[in-house]
Amino acid sequence: MDRLTSMAVFVRVVEKGSFAAVADEFDLSTTMVANHVRALEQQLGAQLLERTTRRHHLTEIGAAYLERCRDVLSSVQAADQVAEAMRAEPQGTLRVTAPVTWGAHRLMPVIGAYMAAYPTVQVELSLNDRVVDMHEEGFDVAIRSGPIHDDALVARPLSPSHMFAVASPAYLQLHGTPGKPEDLSGHACLGFMAWGARHHWRFSKEGRQVEVPVKGPLMCNNGQALLTAALCGVGVVVQADVLLAPSIASGQLVRLLPDWNLPTRHIQIVRRREVRPTAKLRTFVDFVLERLG
């Protein structure tokens, strides 16, 4: 028998003074009510109630045990209320992970707006370009690019990230502006380490695809650092629009081969599969989808 249920039955038997009344309250038979009390007595090795044909009385052990049962049941009720409150009202700490560039430039403003709307939620944002294990590392939400192959995760699409090739006007003045993708093989192309030491930039236009093997004097694992290198005239960089757009708009960088497209990166917001997600998780996912979906 469930011990908490037996405790609850025992407390109500004492309070109501009747096995039959408690049987009606718990939708049990009178025999089952008596069995719950007897199960406690067997587990404790002590008698809790002295029974007569007309009444029952608490033993000394029974009186002491009754107060502890009330304490336990009160604590359980309080714990249930806390859990229910967290599911009903957004509160507590939400752990989020996202790629460095996308998280810093696109997600962070949304997190700021979310925290203003839900001040009882604290957000821990971890920016990392590796794919984290949400289960092992305890993250509630992740931003991922590419397909999701984990049935324990729920993914929702966000606006895709477009990639641009750029260089500074000073670099182009010295080395010339490429007129077609193949021209990039003769340029200093700065590598993003997450894509591997030997990689290709893939361009497409009107059904035609061109893969350009690229090489250059610098590789880096951080998009912001590559942006800075491009601004300094070190070479040509391929990064996401969210990072490059302000510098293109200001004229500090020039978008190369604008008639050609680089692969679009599909972005998704991912959470662990739960029957009833908490209010903080549900509202955060909805908030991000509304603004970035």
Side-chain angles (χ1 to χ4, degrees):
M1 289 186 179
D2 179 72
R3 193 157 188 172
L4 286 176
T5 302
S6 296
M7 287 181 173
V9 168
F10 168 63
V11 169
R12 295 301 286 156
V13 165
V14 174
E15 292 172 347
K16 284 183 168 289
S18 166
F19 278 53
V22 175
D24 291 340
E25 181 179 329
F26 282 80
D27 195 23
L28 300 171
S29 66
T30 303
T31 300
M32 184 57 69
V33 171
N35 287 343
H36 274 290
V37 176
R38 189 173 298 110
L40 288 176
E41 292 178 327
Q42 290 174 349
Q43 289 169 344
L44 297 169
Q47 188 174 358
L48 300 176
L49 295 173
E50 291 180 350
R51 302 167 183 80
T52 66
T53 55
R54 301 174 65 181
R55 299 186 64 184
H56 54 262
H57 303 276
L58 281 168
T59 64
E60 183 179 4
I61 292 177
Y65 190 69
L66 173 66
E67 295 308 312
R68 296 297 178 268
C69 285
R70 284 173 171 158
D71 291 343
V72 169
L73 294 172
S74 177
S75 296
V76 170
Q77 183 181 23
D80 289 346
Q81 290 171 346
V82 168
E84 188 58 36
M86 292 188 72
R87 290 194 178 279
E89 295 293 333
Q91 57 183 293
T93 300
L94 188 74
R95 301 193 68 226
V96 182
T97 179
V100 176
T101 298
W102 200 94
H105 292 269
R106 187 156 287 175
L107 183 62
M108 194 65 245
V110 177
I111 289 178
Y114 174 82
M115 295 176 69
Y118 298 97
T120 54
V121 178
Q122 297 81 46
V123 177
E124 291 183 1
L125 175 62
S126 176
L127 298 181
N128 201 310
D129 286 325
R130 69 181 176 85
V131 177
V132 304
D133 187 319
M134 296 181 65
H135 308 287
E136 290 292 329
E137 300 182 48
F139 284 102
D140 301 297
V141 180
I143 303 298
R144 296 265 183 91
S145 63
I148 306 298
H149 300 294
D150 188 341
D151 291 338
L153 299 176
V154 178
R156 302 281 299 279
L158 299 175
S159 297
S161 181
H162 301 285
M163 308 298 287
F164 296 156
V166 299
S168 71
Y171 173 87
L172 296 175
Q173 187 174 1
L174 286 174
H175 302 281
T177 301
K180 56 184 184 299
E182 292 88 345
D183 293 343
L184 288 170
S185 60
H187 282 264
C189 297
L190 311 186
F192 189 45
M193 290 173 65
W195 300 339
R198 296 177 179 273
H199 61 274
H200 295 68
W201 289 349
R202 293 187 295 275
F203 292 84
S204 62
K205 177 182 178 181
E206 299 174 351
R208 180 188 171 201
Q209 293 193 353
V210 176
E211 285 199 5
V212 181
V214 294
K215 61 182 179 178
L218 173 69
M219 292 192 69
C220 183
N221 67 345
N222 182 271
Q224 184 68 53
L226 288 173
L227 168 61
T228 301
L231 290 170
C232 293
V234 177
V236 178
V237 166
V238 166
Q239 281 292 302
D241 54 354
V242 66
L243 178 65
L244 303 178
S247 298
I248 295 173
S250 68
Q252 292 177 287
L253 291 177
V254 176
R255 182 181 174 187
L256 306 179
L257 307 169
D259 294 335
W260 290 81
N261 295 314
L262 284 153
T264 297
R265 302 184 70 188
H266 297 283
I267 309 297
Q268 302 178 79
I269 185 169
V270 181
R271 66 169 177 85
R272 290 177 290 177
R273 189 179 297 277
E274 299 180 39
V275 177
R276 294 180 62 198
T278 60
K280 65 182 179 183
L281 177 56
R282 186 178 64 254
T283 55
F284 182 79
V285 171
D286 289 344
F287 200 89
V288 173
L289 285 170
E290 181 180 342
R291 286 154 180 79
L292 300 177

